[in-house]
Amino acid sequence: MKIAFIIPKLINEAPVIVVRDLINQINDKVLLIDIYYFDDVDVKEINIVNNCYKISFFEGIDFDKYDIIHSHMLRPDLYILFNRHKIKKAKCVSTLHNDIFKVLKDSHNIFVAFIVEKLWIKALNSFDSVVVLSESMKSQYIKSITKVPLSVVFNGRDFPNSFESEIEDADVKSINLLKSQYKLIGVSARIRKIKGFSQLIKVLPFLNEYALIFVGDGDEKQTLIELAKELNVLDRCLFLGYRIDGFRYLKFFDFYAMTSYSEGFPLGLLEAAQNKLPVFCSDLPVFRELFHESEVSYYHLNDIESLKCSILKLENNKQEFSKNLWTTVMNKYSLKKMGKNYLDLYKKLIY
């Protein structure tokens, strides 16, 4: 089997991390894997050992060289749509990583989200198979992606046994100073409005024994800083900025927060679970589908009192929660299972 993966760029974001991890799982089980991407980045953020080729959106590739062409995200999916007439042999697969409308509304506006979602759905309907990350996503899109079978494949994540780079001394010093005085709630993610991190700032005045650590950067960062100043809790908020392999910082956290308004599949939560951290979560349908209330502590979105109670509940039962969550993640959401499920799908399409 020969496979081409098409991604926007070699960047350290969830969809590309999933591609890298999937490739690592199936490399020795297929004849060839090539990766195509559109944009260069200033610093290489993610390591993929296979052949990687930069192409332009209007540049064709040797499509007939492959049995499977697997694209991820908007531009790669549109690239397949515009080149569909050239693809005679290969089967085309796309993985839909998030709620299209909500993510585009967060990053742009309602008008852009409406228009682009229509175009993206048209592209997806030109594929041979579309993968979604949960049953709740399947229920959402089965009404619009009507010409293509939808398959559910859960993401997997294996926590690395070793890290390529040490944490900077300045970061360690700042974290330990805060940790000596407070219990640390941490997140490692892009700081965007859709992640709901403002809820953490708003609950902090009611939790005097706690502090926050944000590992990541994004357009919502300054808004959070101003909110923390307004609520007089900035001294209990540490904004470290973007760090390569943010999961390296999990060992400093006492709790992990998943406060998202929308989520495709929570890779950060899987990393936290494998580091045996207790986790509290917004009560999104996708989280409810994946994790039992004995595994994570749920709260109602935008309900700060509910969030406070969820954190205190977690504090009082953190060992039980973290043990239950770790067991579930290791048994259900491993890379090995993800790799097998994708290989089974590929084989079903071409044999």
Side-chain angles (χ1 to χ4, degrees), residues 171 174-175 178 187 191 197-198 200-201 204 212-218 220-229 233-243:
D171 285 355
S174 298
I175 295 170
L178 206 58
V187 297
I191 302 180
F197 294 146
S198 62
L200 296 174
I201 306 290
L204 209 54
L212 301 174
I213 295 182
F214 297 91
V215 181
D217 214 340
E220 187 73 1
K221 179 180 176 180
Q222 191 58 41
T223 301
L224 296 183
I225 291 173
E226 294 302 322
L227 179 61
K229 288 180 181 177
V233 294
L234 186 59
D235 61 322
R236 290 192 280 141
C237 297
L238 179 58
F239 293 88
L240 290 175
Y242 173 73
R243 297 291 186 269

PDB file of all heavy atoms in Angstrom, residues 171 174-175 178 187 191 197-198 200-201 204 212-218 220-229 233-243:
ATOM      1  N   ASP A 171      11.832  29.122  33.174  1.00  0.00           N
ATOM      2  CA  ASP A 171      10.475  28.588  33.311  1.00  0.00           C
ATOM      3  C   ASP A 171      10.339  27.778  34.592  1.00  0.00           C
ATOM      4  O   ASP A 171       9.350  27.904  35.327  1.00  0.00           O
ATOM      5  CB  ASP A 171      10.133  27.697  32.113  1.00  0.00           C
ATOM      6  CG  ASP A 171       9.837  28.497  30.863  1.00  0.00           C
ATOM      7  OD1 ASP A 171       9.801  29.746  30.941  1.00  0.00           O
ATOM      8  OD2 ASP A 171       9.647  27.878  29.790  1.00  0.00           O
ATOM      9  N   SER A 174      10.136  30.099  37.608  1.00  0.00           N
ATOM     10  CA  SER A 174       8.846  30.790  37.706  1.00  0.00           C
ATOM     11  C   SER A 174       7.743  29.848  38.174  1.00  0.00           C
ATOM     12  O   SER A 174       6.911  30.205  39.015  1.00  0.00           O
ATOM     13  CB  SER A 174       8.472  31.384  36.354  1.00  0.00           C
ATOM     14  OG  SER A 174       9.403  32.347  35.940  1.00  0.00           O
ATOM     15  N   ILE A 175       7.742  28.631  37.627  1.00  0.00           N
ATOM     16  CA  ILE A 175       6.713  27.663  38.003  1.00  0.00           C
ATOM     17  C   ILE A 175       6.865  27.241  39.463  1.00  0.00           C
ATOM     18  O   ILE A 175       5.882  27.197  40.218  1.00  0.00           O
ATOM     19  CB  ILE A 175       6.775  26.432  37.080  1.00  0.00           C
ATOM     20  CG1 ILE A 175       6.418  26.816  35.645  1.00  0.00           C
ATOM     21  CG2 ILE A 175       5.837  25.334  37.582  1.00  0.00           C
ATOM     22  CD1 ILE A 175       6.693  25.729  34.629  1.00  0.00           C
ATOM     23  N   LEU A 178       5.585  29.760  41.973  1.00  0.00           N
ATOM     24  CA  LEU A 178       4.131  29.733  42.089  1.00  0.00           C
ATOM     25  C   LEU A 178       3.660  28.462  42.800  1.00  0.00           C
ATOM     26  O   LEU A 178       2.752  28.497  43.636  1.00  0.00           O
ATOM     27  CB  LEU A 178       3.519  29.811  40.684  1.00  0.00           C
ATOM     28  CG  LEU A 178       2.109  30.399  40.537  1.00  0.00           C
ATOM     29  CD1 LEU A 178       2.052  31.818  41.074  1.00  0.00           C
ATOM     30  CD2 LEU A 178       1.674  30.359  39.077  1.00  0.00           C
ATOM     31  N   VAL A 187      -2.869  24.442  31.624  1.00  0.00           N
ATOM     32  CA  VAL A 187      -3.333  24.114  30.283  1.00  0.00           C
ATOM     33  C   VAL A 187      -2.146  24.210  29.336  1.00  0.00           C
ATOM     34  O   VAL A 187      -1.206  24.980  29.564  1.00  0.00           O
ATOM     35  CB  VAL A 187      -4.459  25.055  29.798  1.00  0.00           C
ATOM     36  CG1 VAL A 187      -5.681  24.929  30.677  1.00  0.00           C
ATOM     37  CG2 VAL A 187      -3.977  26.495  29.736  1.00  0.00           C
ATOM     38  N   ILE A 191      -3.994  29.678  22.786  1.00  0.00           N
ATOM     39  CA  ILE A 191      -4.885  30.512  23.585  1.00  0.00           C
ATOM     40  C   ILE A 191      -5.844  31.233  22.640  1.00  0.00           C
ATOM     41  O   ILE A 191      -5.548  32.296  22.100  1.00  0.00           O
ATOM     42  CB  ILE A 191      -4.088  31.502  24.454  1.00  0.00           C
ATOM     43  CG1 ILE A 191      -3.134  30.728  25.371  1.00  0.00           C
ATOM     44  CG2 ILE A 191      -5.029  32.357  25.290  1.00  0.00           C
ATOM     45  CD1 ILE A 191      -2.296  31.602  26.276  1.00  0.00           C
ATOM     46  N   PHE A 197     -10.768  29.766  28.086  1.00  0.00           N
ATOM     47  CA  PHE A 197      -9.874  29.971  29.224  1.00  0.00           C
ATOM     48  C   PHE A 197     -10.285  31.143  30.111  1.00  0.00           C
ATOM     49  O   PHE A 197      -9.854  31.226  31.274  1.00  0.00           O
ATOM     50  CB  PHE A 197      -8.438  30.173  28.741  1.00  0.00           C
ATOM     51  CG  PHE A 197      -7.832  28.957  28.094  1.00  0.00           C
ATOM     52  CD1 PHE A 197      -6.930  29.085  27.048  1.00  0.00           C
ATOM     53  CD2 PHE A 197      -8.164  27.682  28.522  1.00  0.00           C
ATOM     54  CE1 PHE A 197      -6.366  27.969  26.443  1.00  0.00           C
ATOM     55  CE2 PHE A 197      -7.615  26.555  27.929  1.00  0.00           C
ATOM     56  CZ  PHE A 197      -6.715  26.701  26.888  1.00  0.00           C
ATOM     57  N   SER A 198     -11.116  32.045  29.605  1.00  0.00           N
ATOM     58  CA  SER A 198     -11.578  33.153  30.445  1.00  0.00           C
ATOM     59  C   SER A 198     -12.343  32.648  31.662  1.00  0.00           C
ATOM     60  O   SER A 198     -12.356  33.298  32.714  1.00  0.00           O
ATOM     61  CB  SER A 198     -12.470  34.097  29.634  1.00  0.00           C
ATOM     62  OG  SER A 198     -13.632  33.429  29.176  1.00  0.00           O
ATOM     63  N   LEU A 200     -11.496  30.212  33.505  1.00  0.00           N
ATOM     64  CA  LEU A 200     -10.503  29.934  34.549  1.00  0.00           C
ATOM     65  C   LEU A 200     -10.112  31.204  35.289  1.00  0.00           C
ATOM     66  O   LEU A 200      -9.936  31.199  36.516  1.00  0.00           O
ATOM     67  CB  LEU A 200      -9.266  29.289  33.931  1.00  0.00           C
ATOM     68  CG  LEU A 200      -9.456  27.917  33.283  1.00  0.00           C
ATOM     69  CD1 LEU A 200      -8.166  27.471  32.590  1.00  0.00           C
ATOM     70  CD2 LEU A 200      -9.873  26.887  34.331  1.00  0.00           C
ATOM     71  N   ILE A 201      -9.967  32.297  34.558  1.00  0.00           N
ATOM     72  CA  ILE A 201      -9.646  33.574  35.186  1.00  0.00           C
ATOM     73  C   ILE A 201     -10.793  34.010  36.105  1.00  0.00           C
ATOM     74  O   ILE A 201     -10.574  34.470  37.236  1.00  0.00           O
ATOM     75  CB  ILE A 201      -9.381  34.663  34.123  1.00  0.00           C
ATOM     76  CG1 ILE A 201      -8.306  34.217  33.128  1.00  0.00           C
ATOM     77  CG2 ILE A 201      -9.021  35.983  34.781  1.00  0.00           C
ATOM     78  CD1 ILE A 201      -6.927  34.144  33.676  1.00  0.00           C
ATOM     79  N   LEU A 204     -10.994  32.162  39.487  1.00  0.00           N
ATOM     80  CA  LEU A 204      -9.836  32.263  40.379  1.00  0.00           C
ATOM     81  C   LEU A 204     -10.093  33.115  41.632  1.00  0.00           C
ATOM     82  O   LEU A 204      -9.574  32.766  42.710  1.00  0.00           O
ATOM     83  CB  LEU A 204      -8.630  32.804  39.597  1.00  0.00           C
ATOM     84  CG  LEU A 204      -7.244  32.362  40.082  1.00  0.00           C
ATOM     85  CD1 LEU A 204      -7.144  30.845  40.158  1.00  0.00           C
ATOM     86  CD2 LEU A 204      -6.151  32.918  39.165  1.00  0.00           C
ATOM     87  N   LEU A 212      -2.910  29.629  38.078  1.00  0.00           N
ATOM     88  CA  LEU A 212      -3.047  29.132  36.704  1.00  0.00           C
ATOM     89  C   LEU A 212      -1.732  29.231  35.952  1.00  0.00           C
ATOM     90  O   LEU A 212      -1.000  30.211  36.103  1.00  0.00           O
ATOM     91  CB  LEU A 212      -4.100  29.945  35.945  1.00  0.00           C
ATOM     92  CG  LEU A 212      -5.518  29.976  36.510  1.00  0.00           C
ATOM     93  CD1 LEU A 212      -6.371  30.943  35.696  1.00  0.00           C
ATOM     94  CD2 LEU A 212      -6.125  28.583  36.495  1.00  0.00           C
ATOM     95  N   ILE A 213      -1.469  28.215  35.115  1.00  0.00           N
ATOM     96  CA  ILE A 213      -0.329  28.252  34.194  1.00  0.00           C
ATOM     97  C   ILE A 213      -0.842  28.001  32.777  1.00  0.00           C
ATOM     98  O   ILE A 213      -1.546  27.019  32.525  1.00  0.00           O
ATOM     99  CB  ILE A 213       0.729  27.191  34.550  1.00  0.00           C
ATOM    100  CG1 ILE A 213       1.357  27.487  35.904  1.00  0.00           C
ATOM    101  CG2 ILE A 213       1.808  27.147  33.471  1.00  0.00           C
ATOM    102  CD1 ILE A 213       2.442  26.497  36.293  1.00  0.00           C
ATOM    103  N   PHE A 214      -0.496  28.900  31.871  1.00  0.00           N
ATOM    104  CA  PHE A 214      -0.865  28.764  30.464  1.00  0.00           C
ATOM    105  C   PHE A 214       0.398  28.510  29.644  1.00  0.00           C
ATOM    106  O   PHE A 214       1.279  29.373  29.573  1.00  0.00           O
ATOM    107  CB  PHE A 214      -1.550  30.033  29.957  1.00  0.00           C
ATOM    108  CG  PHE A 214      -2.854  30.346  30.642  1.00  0.00           C
ATOM    109  CD1 PHE A 214      -2.886  31.145  31.778  1.00  0.00           C
ATOM    110  CD2 PHE A 214      -4.039  29.830  30.152  1.00  0.00           C
ATOM    111  CE1 PHE A 214      -4.083  31.438  32.408  1.00  0.00           C
ATOM    112  CE2 PHE A 214      -5.253  30.111  30.779  1.00  0.00           C
ATOM    113  CZ  PHE A 214      -5.267  30.923  31.919  1.00  0.00           C
ATOM    114  N   VAL A 215       0.480  27.322  29.058  1.00  0.00           N
ATOM    115  CA  VAL A 215       1.578  27.001  28.149  1.00  0.00           C
ATOM    116  C   VAL A 215       1.014  27.087  26.736  1.00  0.00           C
ATOM    117  O   VAL A 215       0.277  26.203  26.290  1.00  0.00           O
ATOM    118  CB  VAL A 215       2.157  25.599  28.414  1.00  0.00           C
ATOM    119  CG1 VAL A 215       3.314  25.311  27.463  1.00  0.00           C
ATOM    120  CG2 VAL A 215       2.609  25.472  29.865  1.00  0.00           C
ATOM    121  N   GLY A 216       1.318  28.166  26.047  1.00  0.00           N
ATOM    122  CA  GLY A 216       0.771  28.379  24.725  1.00  0.00           C
ATOM    123  C   GLY A 216       0.629  29.858  24.443  1.00  0.00           C
ATOM    124  O   GLY A 216       0.789  30.699  25.329  1.00  0.00           O
ATOM    125  N   ASP A 217       0.337  30.154  23.203  1.00  0.00           N
ATOM    126  CA  ASP A 217       0.168  31.541  22.777  1.00  0.00           C
ATOM    127  C   ASP A 217      -1.048  31.622  21.872  1.00  0.00           C
ATOM    128  O   ASP A 217      -1.568  30.605  21.422  1.00  0.00           O
ATOM    129  CB  ASP A 217       1.420  32.025  22.045  1.00  0.00           C
ATOM    130  CG  ASP A 217       1.698  33.495  22.291  1.00  0.00           C
ATOM    131  OD1 ASP A 217       0.757  34.210  22.690  1.00  0.00           O
ATOM    132  OD2 ASP A 217       2.843  33.924  22.095  1.00  0.00           O
ATOM    133  N   GLY A 218      -1.509  32.837  21.609  1.00  0.00           N
ATOM    134  CA  GLY A 218      -2.653  32.994  20.731  1.00  0.00           C
ATOM    135  C   GLY A 218      -3.275  34.362  20.868  1.00  0.00           C
ATOM    136  O   GLY A 218      -2.890  35.157  21.733  1.00  0.00           O
ATOM    137  N   GLU A 220      -5.999  35.386  22.024  1.00  0.00           N
ATOM    138  CA  GLU A 220      -6.803  35.655  23.208  1.00  0.00           C
ATOM    139  C   GLU A 220      -5.943  35.954  24.437  1.00  0.00           C
ATOM    140  O   GLU A 220      -6.459  36.323  25.498  1.00  0.00           O
ATOM    141  CB  GLU A 220      -7.717  34.450  23.482  1.00  0.00           C
ATOM    142  CG  GLU A 220      -8.741  34.636  24.581  1.00  0.00           C
ATOM    143  CD  GLU A 220      -9.907  35.559  24.228  1.00  0.00           C
ATOM    144  OE1 GLU A 220      -9.952  36.072  23.091  1.00  0.00           O
ATOM    145  OE2 GLU A 220     -10.764  35.745  25.093  1.00  0.00           O
ATOM    146  N   LYS A 221      -4.636  35.808  24.307  1.00  0.00           N
ATOM    147  CA  LYS A 221      -3.746  35.939  25.460  1.00  0.00           C
ATOM    148  C   LYS A 221      -3.858  37.307  26.133  1.00  0.00           C
ATOM    149  O   LYS A 221      -4.017  37.390  27.366  1.00  0.00           O
ATOM    150  CB  LYS A 221      -2.300  35.688  25.028  1.00  0.00           C
ATOM    151  CG  LYS A 221      -1.281  35.829  26.154  1.00  0.00           C
ATOM    152  CD  LYS A 221       0.131  35.559  25.639  1.00  0.00           C
ATOM    153  CE  LYS A 221       1.180  35.798  26.708  1.00  0.00           C
ATOM    154  NZ  LYS A 221       2.554  35.528  26.196  1.00  0.00           N
ATOM    155  N   GLN A 222      -3.793  38.379  25.370  1.00  0.00           N
ATOM    156  CA  GLN A 222      -3.842  39.712  25.961  1.00  0.00           C
ATOM    157  C   GLN A 222      -5.182  39.978  26.623  1.00  0.00           C
ATOM    158  O   GLN A 222      -5.248  40.639  27.673  1.00  0.00           O
ATOM    159  CB  GLN A 222      -3.551  40.784  24.900  1.00  0.00           C
ATOM    160  CG  GLN A 222      -3.320  42.173  25.468  1.00  0.00           C
ATOM    161  CD  GLN A 222      -2.178  42.229  26.471  1.00  0.00           C
ATOM    162  OE1 GLN A 222      -1.126  41.609  26.270  1.00  0.00           O
ATOM    163  NE2 GLN A 222      -2.384  42.947  27.568  1.00  0.00           N
ATOM    164  N   THR A 223      -6.247  39.460  26.049  1.00  0.00           N
ATOM    165  CA  THR A 223      -7.575  39.603  26.651  1.00  0.00           C
ATOM    166  C   THR A 223      -7.615  38.940  28.022  1.00  0.00           C
ATOM    167  O   THR A 223      -8.189  39.484  28.980  1.00  0.00           O
ATOM    168  CB  THR A 223      -8.647  38.976  25.738  1.00  0.00           C
ATOM    169  OG1 THR A 223      -8.616  39.617  24.470  1.00  0.00           O
ATOM    170  CG2 THR A 223     -10.032  39.121  26.341  1.00  0.00           C
ATOM    171  N   LEU A 224      -6.997  37.764  28.137  1.00  0.00           N
ATOM    172  CA  LEU A 224      -6.951  37.068  29.428  1.00  0.00           C
ATOM    173  C   LEU A 224      -6.115  37.846  30.438  1.00  0.00           C
ATOM    174  O   LEU A 224      -6.469  37.920  31.629  1.00  0.00           O
ATOM    175  CB  LEU A 224      -6.389  35.663  29.242  1.00  0.00           C
ATOM    176  CG  LEU A 224      -7.200  34.684  28.393  1.00  0.00           C
ATOM    177  CD1 LEU A 224      -6.535  33.314  28.385  1.00  0.00           C
ATOM    178  CD2 LEU A 224      -8.631  34.576  28.903  1.00  0.00           C
ATOM    179  N   ILE A 225      -5.020  38.418  29.988  1.00  0.00           N
ATOM    180  CA  ILE A 225      -4.176  39.212  30.889  1.00  0.00           C
ATOM    181  C   ILE A 225      -4.955  40.413  31.426  1.00  0.00           C
ATOM    182  O   ILE A 225      -4.913  40.712  32.634  1.00  0.00           O
ATOM    183  CB  ILE A 225      -2.891  39.663  30.162  1.00  0.00           C
ATOM    184  CG1 ILE A 225      -1.987  38.454  29.898  1.00  0.00           C
ATOM    185  CG2 ILE A 225      -2.137  40.715  30.982  1.00  0.00           C
ATOM    186  CD1 ILE A 225      -0.770  38.765  29.036  1.00  0.00           C
ATOM    187  N   GLU A 226      -5.693  41.102  30.541  1.00  0.00           N
ATOM    188  CA  GLU A 226      -6.476  42.262  30.976  1.00  0.00           C
ATOM    189  C   GLU A 226      -7.583  41.837  31.943  1.00  0.00           C
ATOM    190  O   GLU A 226      -7.868  42.549  32.920  1.00  0.00           O
ATOM    191  CB  GLU A 226      -7.083  42.964  29.752  1.00  0.00           C
ATOM    192  CG  GLU A 226      -6.055  43.600  28.821  1.00  0.00           C
ATOM    193  CD  GLU A 226      -5.195  44.630  29.542  1.00  0.00           C
ATOM    194  OE1 GLU A 226      -5.725  45.368  30.394  1.00  0.00           O
ATOM    195  OE2 GLU A 226      -3.971  44.677  29.249  1.00  0.00           O
ATOM    196  N   LEU A 227      -8.205  40.701  31.696  1.00  0.00           N
ATOM    197  CA  LEU A 227      -9.240  40.192  32.594  1.00  0.00           C
ATOM    198  C   LEU A 227      -8.647  39.860  33.957  1.00  0.00           C
ATOM    199  O   LEU A 227      -9.251  40.158  35.006  1.00  0.00           O
ATOM    200  CB  LEU A 227      -9.908  38.966  31.983  1.00  0.00           C
ATOM    201  CG  LEU A 227     -11.003  38.289  32.814  1.00  0.00           C
ATOM    202  CD1 LEU A 227     -12.154  39.246  33.076  1.00  0.00           C
ATOM    203  CD2 LEU A 227     -11.512  37.020  32.098  1.00  0.00           C
ATOM    204  N   ALA A 228      -7.472  39.236  33.967  1.00  0.00           N
ATOM    205  CA  ALA A 228      -6.811  38.896  35.223  1.00  0.00           C
ATOM    206  C   ALA A 228      -6.458  40.157  36.019  1.00  0.00           C
ATOM    207  O   ALA A 228      -6.581  40.182  37.257  1.00  0.00           O
ATOM    208  CB  ALA A 228      -5.559  38.067  34.955  1.00  0.00           C
ATOM    209  N   LYS A 229      -6.033  41.212  35.324  1.00  0.00           N
ATOM    210  CA  LYS A 229      -5.757  42.492  36.000  1.00  0.00           C
ATOM    211  C   LYS A 229      -7.033  43.051  36.616  1.00  0.00           C
ATOM    212  O   LYS A 229      -7.043  43.509  37.760  1.00  0.00           O
ATOM    213  CB  LYS A 229      -5.181  43.497  35.000  1.00  0.00           C
ATOM    214  CG  LYS A 229      -3.760  43.224  34.559  1.00  0.00           C
ATOM    215  CD  LYS A 229      -3.316  44.287  33.560  1.00  0.00           C
ATOM    216  CE  LYS A 229      -1.900  44.039  33.066  1.00  0.00           C
ATOM    217  NZ  LYS A 229      -1.506  45.039  32.025  1.00  0.00           N
ATOM    218  N   VAL A 233      -6.160  39.095  39.901  1.00  0.00           N
ATOM    219  CA  VAL A 233      -5.591  37.755  40.072  1.00  0.00           C
ATOM    220  C   VAL A 233      -4.383  37.541  39.159  1.00  0.00           C
ATOM    221  O   VAL A 233      -3.919  36.406  39.018  1.00  0.00           O
ATOM    222  CB  VAL A 233      -6.651  36.655  39.813  1.00  0.00           C
ATOM    223  CG1 VAL A 233      -7.753  36.699  40.871  1.00  0.00           C
ATOM    224  CG2 VAL A 233      -7.231  36.773  38.402  1.00  0.00           C
ATOM    225  N   LEU A 234      -3.861  38.594  38.566  1.00  0.00           N
ATOM    226  CA  LEU A 234      -2.746  38.434  37.635  1.00  0.00           C
ATOM    227  C   LEU A 234      -1.521  37.840  38.316  1.00  0.00           C
ATOM    228  O   LEU A 234      -0.744  37.113  37.682  1.00  0.00           O
ATOM    229  CB  LEU A 234      -2.384  39.777  36.996  1.00  0.00           C
ATOM    230  CG  LEU A 234      -1.324  39.728  35.886  1.00  0.00           C
ATOM    231  CD1 LEU A 234      -1.766  38.817  34.739  1.00  0.00           C
ATOM    232  CD2 LEU A 234      -1.012  41.122  35.363  1.00  0.00           C
ATOM    233  N   ASP A 235      -1.364  38.105  39.621  1.00  0.00           N
ATOM    234  CA  ASP A 235      -0.217  37.551  40.346  1.00  0.00           C
ATOM    235  C   ASP A 235      -0.320  36.036  40.503  1.00  0.00           C
ATOM    236  O   ASP A 235       0.673  35.376  40.840  1.00  0.00           O
ATOM    237  CB  ASP A 235      -0.097  38.199  41.729  1.00  0.00           C
ATOM    238  CG  ASP A 235      -1.322  37.965  42.611  1.00  0.00           C
ATOM    239  OD1 ASP A 235      -2.457  37.977  42.069  1.00  0.00           O
ATOM    240  OD2 ASP A 235      -1.147  37.759  43.822  1.00  0.00           O
ATOM    241  N   ARG A 236      -1.505  35.480  40.211  1.00  0.00           N
ATOM    242  CA  ARG A 236      -1.688  34.022  40.278  1.00  0.00           C
ATOM    243  C   ARG A 236      -1.872  33.411  38.883  1.00  0.00           C
ATOM    244  O   ARG A 236      -2.392  32.294  38.758  1.00  0.00           O
ATOM    245  CB  ARG A 236      -2.897  33.679  41.167  1.00  0.00           C
ATOM    246  CG  ARG A 236      -2.640  33.955  42.644  1.00  0.00           C
ATOM    247  CD  ARG A 236      -3.709  33.339  43.517  1.00  0.00           C
ATOM    248  NE  ARG A 236      -4.916  34.136  43.572  1.00  0.00           N
ATOM    249  CZ  ARG A 236      -6.163  33.654  43.577  1.00  0.00           C
ATOM    250  NH1 ARG A 236      -6.355  32.345  43.463  1.00  0.00           N
ATOM    251  NH2 ARG A 236      -7.203  34.450  43.648  1.00  0.00           N
ATOM    252  N   CYS A 237      -1.459  34.139  37.871  1.00  0.00           N
ATOM    253  CA  CYS A 237      -1.529  33.648  36.484  1.00  0.00           C
ATOM    254  C   CYS A 237      -0.146  33.739  35.853  1.00  0.00           C
ATOM    255  O   CYS A 237       0.467  34.812  35.855  1.00  0.00           O
ATOM    256  CB  CYS A 237      -2.511  34.475  35.662  1.00  0.00           C
ATOM    257  SG  CYS A 237      -4.225  34.408  36.233  1.00  0.00           S
ATOM    258  N   LEU A 238       0.331  32.629  35.336  1.00  0.00           N
ATOM    259  CA  LEU A 238       1.627  32.596  34.669  1.00  0.00           C
ATOM    260  C   LEU A 238       1.415  32.242  33.195  1.00  0.00           C
ATOM    261  O   LEU A 238       0.979  31.143  32.868  1.00  0.00           O
ATOM    262  CB  LEU A 238       2.537  31.559  35.335  1.00  0.00           C
ATOM    263  CG  LEU A 238       3.938  31.379  34.738  1.00  0.00           C
ATOM    264  CD1 LEU A 238       4.716  32.686  34.759  1.00  0.00           C
ATOM    265  CD2 LEU A 238       4.696  30.281  35.495  1.00  0.00           C
ATOM    266  N   PHE A 239       1.726  33.222  32.320  1.00  0.00           N
ATOM    267  CA  PHE A 239       1.607  33.021  30.888  1.00  0.00           C
ATOM    268  C   PHE A 239       3.002  32.775  30.322  1.00  0.00           C
ATOM    269  O   PHE A 239       3.798  33.701  30.163  1.00  0.00           O
ATOM    270  CB  PHE A 239       0.982  34.253  30.227  1.00  0.00           C
ATOM    271  CG  PHE A 239      -0.449  34.494  30.613  1.00  0.00           C
ATOM    272  CD1 PHE A 239      -0.763  35.254  31.736  1.00  0.00           C
ATOM    273  CD2 PHE A 239      -1.482  33.965  29.847  1.00  0.00           C
ATOM    274  CE1 PHE A 239      -2.093  35.484  32.086  1.00  0.00           C
ATOM    275  CE2 PHE A 239      -2.814  34.195  30.191  1.00  0.00           C
ATOM    276  CZ  PHE A 239      -3.123  34.956  31.330  1.00  0.00           C
ATOM    277  N   LEU A 240       3.305  31.523  30.036  1.00  0.00           N
ATOM    278  CA  LEU A 240       4.649  31.168  29.578  1.00  0.00           C
ATOM    279  C   LEU A 240       4.849  31.425  28.089  1.00  0.00           C
ATOM    280  O   LEU A 240       5.983  31.538  27.626  1.00  0.00           O
ATOM    281  CB  LEU A 240       4.936  29.698  29.888  1.00  0.00           C
ATOM    282  CG  LEU A 240       5.118  29.357  31.372  1.00  0.00           C
ATOM    283  CD1 LEU A 240       5.273  27.850  31.538  1.00  0.00           C
ATOM    284  CD2 LEU A 240       6.317  30.075  31.956  1.00  0.00           C
ATOM    285  N   GLY A 241       3.770  31.489  27.321  1.00  0.00           N
ATOM    286  CA  GLY A 241       3.903  31.624  25.877  1.00  0.00           C
ATOM    287  C   GLY A 241       4.083  30.269  25.211  1.00  0.00           C
ATOM    288  O   GLY A 241       4.021  29.214  25.851  1.00  0.00           O
ATOM    289  N   TYR A 242       4.311  30.299  23.887  1.00  0.00           N
ATOM    290  CA  TYR A 242       4.466  29.066  23.128  1.00  0.00           C
ATOM    291  C   TYR A 242       5.744  28.336  23.534  1.00  0.00           C
ATOM    292  O   TYR A 242       6.817  28.933  23.666  1.00  0.00           O
ATOM    293  CB  TYR A 242       4.522  29.361  21.628  1.00  0.00           C
ATOM    294  CG  TYR A 242       4.863  28.138  20.804  1.00  0.00           C
ATOM    295  CD1 TYR A 242       3.921  27.127  20.621  1.00  0.00           C
ATOM    296  CD2 TYR A 242       6.131  27.977  20.256  1.00  0.00           C
ATOM    297  CE1 TYR A 242       4.229  25.995  19.887  1.00  0.00           C
ATOM    298  CE2 TYR A 242       6.444  26.842  19.511  1.00  0.00           C
ATOM    299  CZ  TYR A 242       5.487  25.862  19.333  1.00  0.00           C
ATOM    300  OH  TYR A 242       5.802  24.737  18.624  1.00  0.00           O
ATOM    301  N   ARG A 243       5.616  27.045  23.752  1.00  0.00           N
ATOM    302  CA  ARG A 243       6.745  26.177  24.043  1.00  0.00           C
ATOM    303  C   ARG A 243       6.617  24.915  23.194  1.00  0.00           C
ATOM    304  O   ARG A 243       5.539  24.312  23.133  1.00  0.00           O
ATOM    305  CB  ARG A 243       6.804  25.787  25.532  1.00  0.00           C
ATOM    306  CG  ARG A 243       7.001  26.962  26.490  1.00  0.00           C
ATOM    307  CD  ARG A 243       8.390  27.564  26.346  1.00  0.00           C
ATOM    308  NE  ARG A 243       8.664  28.593  27.325  1.00  0.00           N
ATOM    309  CZ  ARG A 243       8.433  29.896  27.169  1.00  0.00           C
ATOM    310  NH1 ARG A 243       7.870  30.323  26.034  1.00  0.00           N
ATOM    311  NH2 ARG A 243       8.738  30.759  28.112  1.00  0.00           N
TER     312      ARG A 243
END
